Amino acid sequence: MTTIDVNSLLLQMRRISAQTEMPAIRGVGETGQAAKGSFGDVLKQSIEGVSQSQAKAAQMSSAFERGDPGIDLAQVMIQGQKADLSFRAMTEVRNKMVDAYKEIMNMSV
């Protein structure tokens, strides 16, 4: 089983955030340049990450149900919560994007 390093996950989140923000308002403590990519690419990578997290949670749950000795209930529950949290975050991002789109569409030219 692989574990997720919290620091590397935080760094990845800061890089994604840095790609969408102006350089003058980046958080304190961030160093280095973020990789350049289109918003669509970043969004696609995020959705794929959520999908992988959900697939891993389902796989671990199935392994636990089969009685796999290497999987315990705590691991299954933690992975399930990670998948749930990532899906909720993705849903909130989608909601904000829809709200922004509606606001732009209601602007008068």
Side-chain angles (χ1 to χ4, degrees), residues 92-105:
E92 288 300 318
V93 168
R94 186 220 42 199
N95 292 343
K96 292 293 183 182
M97 288 175 54
V98 169
D99 290 342
Y101 175 77
K102 287 179 181 177
E103 188 175 326
I104 290 170
M105 294 308 293

Side-chain angles (χ1 to χ4, degrees), residues 5-16:
D5 181 23
V6 175
N7 291 328
S8 67
L9 183 60
L10 181 59
L11 180 62
Q12 182 181 11
M13 290 172 63
R14 284 182 177 163
R15 285 182 182 157
I16 291 171

